[in-house]
């Protein structure tokens, strides 16, 4: 029987309180206020933003380097308004690492440069933007996940939010509250990389989409001893601990002389399922050049998130019947610059201009919403992504081919560019993990990192990771065990997947550990894992990430 739900109506509903949707909601309100100050026909739309985290910023994680170009466009006085900028880039390097040595790239092309960029904590920036959006009259609903689309007359007419208070078997507990039906003229999907509502809409409305590709970033925030780095230093690395065949790299950003962001991006997908992103970061930190900075310091926060890395060629259609797609859900990431927040914000601004136009004409047709795709096509965001469109693909031929194609000078005395490639299936990485023993000072187990992620979920709720029982029996415990040795044990940074042997061979899931990084859904080699939204409020609790 269909669940009865309370229904609320809005003109615009934003799904996801990330930089794209928050920028969009703020800009839309600015446009409306400017219009109302000059018009006899004021617009008074109701605008809501829903966020599955327990507060805005709880699920936001990035390096993060912010190019302020888009922020300048909609918030020119952001500094005066208290925007949490940690530092401005003062120095930057790009280096190739071998296990004991570092080779700085002598010439940094303009396309890699982070000149004038800002160092931010994305979770702090998101929290600040949410305050500004609320001050502009936007209604913000934290703890609220978009579980399902609401389709009416062949268009997205709203969303259904998460049911709260179901037990593991989906029986109603004493505190059961059915999710709400939030009806809207337009829904703006900005869930970040690999959003679950976007997946559902894609299969309903955007079946011609090119496939997206993904990497996984694992990040730690550290307090370090003063005197080792200066605020604003940005150091990026290729190479160690990855083989010359694998794409990925690390970063070290100094927010202040004592607070740093360190992380590692690993390439993941069905063709590289044995990679362990958490292990890659632990090994990266052991490089002597990094260990000497970290030693004596304390890791204060840890987390992980997939990154949409396909660029312009993997971008989905940006509009559909009743909806727009923004930010990383739309693939707004420039992998050449390792940046996407400015592109996400710009997509939000262009979406806001389209929504304003739709409100002005009281026309929410697909034809009117198409204006968003056209605005993007004519924007600097498109130009930037177009210029970088071949960068990530160049690394499919290996690290050195990619670096050469990226225009980087490769003449380092003492460096052999014919370093022996590791086997394609990266079996060695798996063997490596079995022998890797974190020391608890520089390197940490996944359990310890989880402790510093603030993760929490209501334990007694339906498992949000869906795998059919017949797939567990025939694929997980047979085919995958033989072919890959169950890579979910490796690629999940949160030990959600365990293969137990007592009393019987079984797949044990620990969904309450889940960091919502989405790696399992994109790296599962058989495509049998579906990530659905757990009860709103569950997941990590980032504060500095
Ligand atoms: Fe990430 Fe959660 Fe999947 Fe593990 S189970 S890979 S933490 S989304």
């Amino acid at each position: 029987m269909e669940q009865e739900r309370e229904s609320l109506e809005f003109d615009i509903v934003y799904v996801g309180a990330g930089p794209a949707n928050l920028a969009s909601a703020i800009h839309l309100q600015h446009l409306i206020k400017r219009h109302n100050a000059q018009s006899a026909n004021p617009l008074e739309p109701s605008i809501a933003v829903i966020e599955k985290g327990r507060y805005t910023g709880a699920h936001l994680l990035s390096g993060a380097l912010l190019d302020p170009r888009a922020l300048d466009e909609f918030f020119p006085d952001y500094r005066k308004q208290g925007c949490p900028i940690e530092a401005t880039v003062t120095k930057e390097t790009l280096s190739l690492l071998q296990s004991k040595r570092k080779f700085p790239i002598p010439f940094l092309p303009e396309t890699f440069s982070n000149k004038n960029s800002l160092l931010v904590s994305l979770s702090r920036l998101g929290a600040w933007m949410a305050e500004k959006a609320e001050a502009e009259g936007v209604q913000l609903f934290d703890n609220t996940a978009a579980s399902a689309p609401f389709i009416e007359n062949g268009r997205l007419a709203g969303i259904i939010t998460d049911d709260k208070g179901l037990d593991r078997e989906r029986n109603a507990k004493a505190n059961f509250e059915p999710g709400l039906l939030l009806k809207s003229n337009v829904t703006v999907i900005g869930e970040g990389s690999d959003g679950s509502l976007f997946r559902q809409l894609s299969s309903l409305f955007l079946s011609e989409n090119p496939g997206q590709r993904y990497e996984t970033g694992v990040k730690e925030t550290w307090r370090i001893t003063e005197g080792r780095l200066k605020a604003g230093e940005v150091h990026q690395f290729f190479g160690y601990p990855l083989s010359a065949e694998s794409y990925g790299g690390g970063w070290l950003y100094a927010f202040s002389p004592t607070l740093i962001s360190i992380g590692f991006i690993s390439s993941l997908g069905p063709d590289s399922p044995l990679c362990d992103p958490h292990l890659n970061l632990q090994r990266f930190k052991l490089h002597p050049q990094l260990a000497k900075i970290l030693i004596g310091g304390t890791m204060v926060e840890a987390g992980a998130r997939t990154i949409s890395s396909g660029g312009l060629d993997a971008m989905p259609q940006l509009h559909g019947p009743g909806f727009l797609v923004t930010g990383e859900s739309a693939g707004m990431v420039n992998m050449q610059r390792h940046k996407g927040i400015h592109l996400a914000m710009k997509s939000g601004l262009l979406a806001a201009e389209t929504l304003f136009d739709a409100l002005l004409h009281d026309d929410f047709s697909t034809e009117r919403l198409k204006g968003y795709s056209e605005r993007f096509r004519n924007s600097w965001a498109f130009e930037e992504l177009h210029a970088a469109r071949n960068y990530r693909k160049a690394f499919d031929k290996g690290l050195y081919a990619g670096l050469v194609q990226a225009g980087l000078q490769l003449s380092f005395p003492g460096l052999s560019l014919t370093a022996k490639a590791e086997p394609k299936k990266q079996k060695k990485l798996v063997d490596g993990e079995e022998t890797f023993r974190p020391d608890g000072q520089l390197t940490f187990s996944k359990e310890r990192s989880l402790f510093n992620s603030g993760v929490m979920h209501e334990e007694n709720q339906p498992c949000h990771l869906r795998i059919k029982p017949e797939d567990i029996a025939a694929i997980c415990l047979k085919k995958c065990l033989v072919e890959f040795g169950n890579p979910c044990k490796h690629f999940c940074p949160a030990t959600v997947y365990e293969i137990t042997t007592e009393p019987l061979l079984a797949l044990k899931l620990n969904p309450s550990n889940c960091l919502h990084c989405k790696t399992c859904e994109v790296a599962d080699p058989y495509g049998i894992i579906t990530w659905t939204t757990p009860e709103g409020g569950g997941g990590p609790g980032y504060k500095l990430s």
Side-chain angles (χ1 to χ4, degrees), residues 7-28:
S7 165
L8 299 175
E9 295 195 12
F10 295 91
D11 291 285
I12 314 291
V13 168
Y14 287 93
V15 176
N21 278 357
L22 291 170
S24 189
I26 293 168
H27 189 51
L28 180 56

Side-chain angles (χ1 to χ4, degrees), residues 216 304-306 450 457 464-465 488 491-497 509-511 513-523 529 531:
T216 293
R305 190 70 172 96
T306 48
L450 265 183
H457 289 89
H464 67 281
L465 298 149
C488 53
F491 59 59
C492 172
T495 61
V496 169
Y497 299 88
L509 296 176
N510 307 303
N513 285 355
C514 181
L515 289 171
H516 298 204
C517 77
K518 312 290 182 71
T519 301
C520 51
E521 199 169 47
V522 303
I529 300 173
W531 194 98

